[in-house]
Amino acid sequence: MKEAVFPAASQGEQDEEGAPLVTPATEQEITEEGGAPCKHGAAAPPVAARAGRTLSSLGAVLRARGVGSVMLGLVLLALLLGARRWIDLDASSLLGSTVNIGAGERRRHHSNSTAPLVPIPFTCGNQTSPQPPKCPGTAAPPPWTALPVPNSPAPSCPDYFRYIHDDLRPWRGAGITREVVERARPHAFFRLVVVNGRAFVETYRRAYQIRDVFTQWGILQLIRRYPGRLPDLDLMFACDDPGQVRAADFPKPSEAPPVFRYCKDGSTLDIVFPDWSFWGWPEVGIRPWTQMLEEVRQENERVRWPERQPYAFWKGNPEGYRIRHKLLRCNVSNGKEWNARVFTQNWHHAIRNGFKDSRIPKQCIYRYKVYVEGNAWSVSEKYIMACDSPVLFITTPFQDILSRGLVAGKHYWPINRKHVCKSIKFAVDWGNKHLEQAQLIGEQGSRFVREEMSMDYIYDYMLHLLTEYAKLLRYKPTVPEKAVEICTESIACPAQGLHRECMMDSMERHVVGFNPCTLPPPFTKEVAKQIADREAEVLRNIEKMEG
């Protein structure tokens, strides 16, 4: 579907708050970017901050084109719009009268399988050998067709899977040639080739920290989880942040190089892939996604939403990011209360104390959480969404697989990036006066990341994306001369410390006994336009409420 283009703001743009930049507090017991270490140990600091991008006002921003099967889930929009999220809903699905649990329950087919679990062999062999173990080859699990899998059709995947079709649309007609793939090399950190279920990697440059290694690890776990299902493929992967393949540079889209990366915006043609932190981010003490979800769930139970501090919370690294410096101005200043508690993360202190005061679950003591982009999208997004606290989402053009599924007013409250402090103050005041409706937003956003962004669906998304991509290849992939074979053993066995622990925690140990969810069809132009128009109308009406 056609994406909105977001022009940069002028250099002279001023905040309407007019407040001086205050020095925020530094070390609290919470952080939006750090977490509990996989076990214990020191870690390297995160990537140095880089210049953020500045964008236009909320009225021109279409934050999320996510798709839901019910109307926008909050009384706010019933008051504002009296409209339906989908064109095929009837008046019975009134805002706030129901919560969209049915789809989540329908999709829990993964955990309901009664097929016997097939264990996947794993051994590191001779631990004293200086050489990494050889990949098992013939000792790999049997192909999918040899496994006992139920014949019943799987439910449809969540609606954000439809963006797979959008990402691959430039090459639908002409297909992808080897020349087009190799044209992506200047952007790529590594090239991944899968031939007969075996993975090979040619490394061009190392990514920051473990982005490349843990991305490859995730694909290897996909192969273990669904053995025999991944077709032969050849792709280029970029591990940096903003999209680089600009649509304007390719009048003929099929000539654009297909580059996989973690996010994009409306002006780029990059192919969105789940980020590495789903399998852990040991350098900043973040455990794999499944474990983090459980820890956050326990914290949600410990501190119920009505008892949380009635402010909006954010903590992170602001250096080099203009939009984050705007957020810092929302602390109490000149006697003005903006309803925000914003802190700068001191990474050196966090490292010294082993992240004991920077655990992600401990961020769930505020009623509202703020999400703000960094150099592009931020890994913190999914952890912020999991807290059962309404997320005040500063509008952004960057799209990752999660944000594409979010619905404004149902899963989050949009914050005007041109008037950040004013917009946050209004949202918190409104939520504190309408506790039931505000709590519903938090619960629906949290439910979305727990259920529709579970690892089951992350792996299904990867499988469908890579399968659809492989269908477009107009040549038979072959192993590059300088590529080396990788497998679970070759990566995990030489790893040490937190890296090894996160890998062991996120390793797929059994072949799944169920089919992946069914890939839904692409959006029609008519439906895509109506979704976008309704979403934009929501944002305009919230602006009117703010005055």
Side-chain angles (χ1 to χ4, degrees):
M1 76 195 245
K2 185 175 182 181
E3 306 285 0
V5 178
F6 306 87
S10 67
Q11 294 297 319
E13 177 184 320
Q14 299 292 325
D15 286 3
E16 48 66 54
E17 293 87 3
L21 179 60
V22 297
T23 302
T26 52
E27 268 310 309
Q28 300 294 320
E29 293 187 349
I30 358 185
T31 174
E32 63 94 15
E33 290 179 335
C38 298
K39 289 191 181 175
H40 297 287
V47 62
R50 292 171 292 245
R53 305 178 79 180
T54 319
L55 301 148
S56 64
S57 67
L58 176 64
V61 173
L62 180 58
R63 163 62 191 81
R65 296 154 197 83
V67 188
S69 58
V70 297
M71 191 177 159
L72 295 173
L74 95 100
V75 169
L76 164 67
L77 301 185
L79 298 173
L80 295 177
L81 304 178
R84 298 170 296 179
R85 180 70 175 91
W86 279 102
I87 59 174
D88 57 348
L89 291 178
D90 58 38
S92 64
S93 50
L94 290 176
L95 207 49
S97 63
T98 60
V99 178
N100 185 22
I101 301 177
E105 291 178 340
R106 182 182 70 249
R107 291 172 180 151
R108 291 179 191 158
H109 61 290
H110 294 164
S111 58
N112 295 334
S113 173
T114 58
L117 293 176
V118 178
I120 306 172
F122 173 80
T123 178
C124 287
N126 182 7
Q127 293 285 345
T128 63
S129 173
Q131 299 297 325
K134 292 184 178 180
C135 295
T138 56
W144 176 268
T145 53
L147 299 175
V149 178
N151 293 324
S152 57
S156 178
C157 302
D159 289 312
Y160 65 86
F161 279 57
R162 296 176 186 266
Y163 287 97
I164 290 175
H165 304 291
D166 287 350
D167 282 351
L168 298 178
R169 183 168 290 115
W171 304 278
R172 283 293 181 196
I176 300 173
T177 64
R178 191 186 304 271
E179 178 186 5
V180 169
V181 169
E182 292 179 347
R183 196 176 295 156
R185 181 166 178 168
H187 301 282
F189 283 65
F190 65 86
R191 183 176 192 167
L192 175 78
V193 176
V194 175
V195 176
N196 295 326
R198 298 168 63 187
F200 303 84
V201 166
E202 181 177 7
T203 300
Y204 300 132
R205 48 186 168 139
R206 292 307 304 267
Y208 183 78
Q209 295 181 341
I210 43 71
R211 292 184 176 200
D212 51 354
V213 174
F214 270 47
T215 298
Q216 295 164 18
W217 173 261
I219 295 172
L220 291 172
Q221 301 319 298
L222 172 67
I223 293 174
R224 285 169 66 87
R225 179 184 180 90
Y226 288 125
R229 287 295 294 265
L230 198 62
D232 290 359
L233 56 86
D234 181 5
L235 63 85
M236 297 286 192
F237 205 104
C239 299
D240 47 357
D241 291 334
Q244 300 292 332
V245 183
R246 306 197 67 81
D249 295 336
F250 299 95
K252 190 174 181 180
S254 61
E255 295 180 352
V259 178
F260 287 72
R261 68 170 70 240
Y262 310 119
C263 79
K264 64 178 294 183
D265 63 42
S267 67
T268 61
L269 300 177
D270 303 79
I271 301 170
V272 178
F273 197 82
D275 75 80
W276 74 96
S277 66
F278 281 102
W279 296 272
W281 189 1
E283 285 84 357
V284 296
I286 292 180
R287 302 181 65 184
W289 179 227
T290 301
Q291 286 91 330
M292 289 305 305
L293 273 177
E294 176 57 24
E295 290 188 17
V296 172
R297 185 197 65 78
Q298 293 176 11
E299 189 67 15
N300 287 343
E301 292 291 326
R302 189 183 73 82
V303 184
R304 295 290 185 174
W305 189 79
E307 285 75 46
R308 298 178 186 181
Q309 297 185 39
Y311 302 104
F313 168 81
W314 181 84
K315 186 177 182 180
N317 174 23
E319 294 307 316
Y321 307 118
R322 184 179 180 186
I323 186 63
R324 291 187 175 189
H325 276 281
K326 293 180 72 172
L327 178 60
L328 291 181
R329 293 183 172 93
C330 302
N331 276 315
V332 178
S333 59
N334 293 343
K336 182 68 174 180
E337 173 63 77
W338 297 108
N339 294 336
R341 300 296 182 262
V342 182
F343 305 96
T344 295
Q345 168 73 344
N346 186 324
W347 283 106
H348 295 292
H349 175 79
I351 293 166
R352 284 196 300 270
N353 73 0
F355 298 99
K356 293 178 182 178
D357 298 329
S358 301
R359 299 181 63 248
I360 282 177
K362 292 297 183 181
Q363 68 184 268
C364 301
I365 65 171
Y366 286 83
R367 282 189 190 168
Y368 309 91
K369 298 297 302 299
V370 177
Y371 171 78
V372 59
E373 70 197 41
N375 193 39
W377 110 111
S378 172
V379 167
S380 65
E381 180 184 43
K382 54 184 174 291
Y383 309 111
I384 290 174
M385 295 290 301
C387 258
D388 280 354
S389 293
V391 174
L392 310 185
F393 213 119
I394 299 178
T395 53
T396 175
F398 297 112
Q399 308 166 20
D400 62 296
I401 66 167
L402 192 164
S403 65
R404 285 170 157 182
L406 300 179
V407 177
K410 175 182 177 181
H411 300 125
Y412 70 95
W413 182 291
I415 295 298
N416 186 332
R417 68 183 292 127
K418 189 174 182 180
H419 310 296
V420 172
C421 299
K422 175 184 175 182
S423 192
I424 288 176
K425 176 174 172 52
F426 178 86
V428 173
D429 283 342
W430 186 92
N432 289 337
K433 291 177 183 177
H434 303 83
L435 293 177
E436 184 177 350
Q437 296 97 314
Q439 186 173 5
L440 180 61
I441 301 174
E443 291 173 349
Q444 291 179 152
S446 186
R447 182 180 298 114
F448 179 86
V449 296
R450 288 196 308 267
E451 297 180 1
E452 301 205 18
M453 204 57 58
S454 68
M455 286 309 297
D456 281 337
Y457 285 126
I458 295 301
Y459 282 121
D460 284 6
Y461 189 96
M462 294 162 61
L463 180 63
H464 283 303
L465 173 59
L466 295 177
T467 299
E468 293 300 308
Y469 170 80
K471 292 177 182 178
L472 299 177
L473 296 179
R474 296 294 183 259
Y475 64 98
K476 181 175 177 56
T478 56
V479 179
E481 182 180 351
K482 297 181 180 180
V484 297
E485 185 172 8
I486 61 170
C487 59
T488 295
E489 291 80 0
S490 70
I491 292 184
C493 294
Q496 298 179 354
L498 302 180
H499 293 75
R500 173 73 176 270
E501 291 162 8
C502 284
M503 288 176 182
M504 298 306 291
D505 287 344
S506 62
M507 182 187 299
E508 291 292 302
R509 301 182 183 276
H510 296 88
V511 176
V512 294
F514 47 79
N515 289 306
C517 61
T518 303
L519 181 64
F523 301 114
T524 64
K525 291 182 179 180
E526 292 76 15
V527 170
K529 183 179 185 305
Q530 291 191 36
I531 293 172
D533 289 346
R534 290 183 186 279
E535 201 85 1
E537 186 178 2
V538 170
L539 304 185
R540 286 194 300 270
N541 279 280
I542 290 179
E543 279 193 301
K544 292 178 182 177
M545 287 184 66
E546 293 176 357

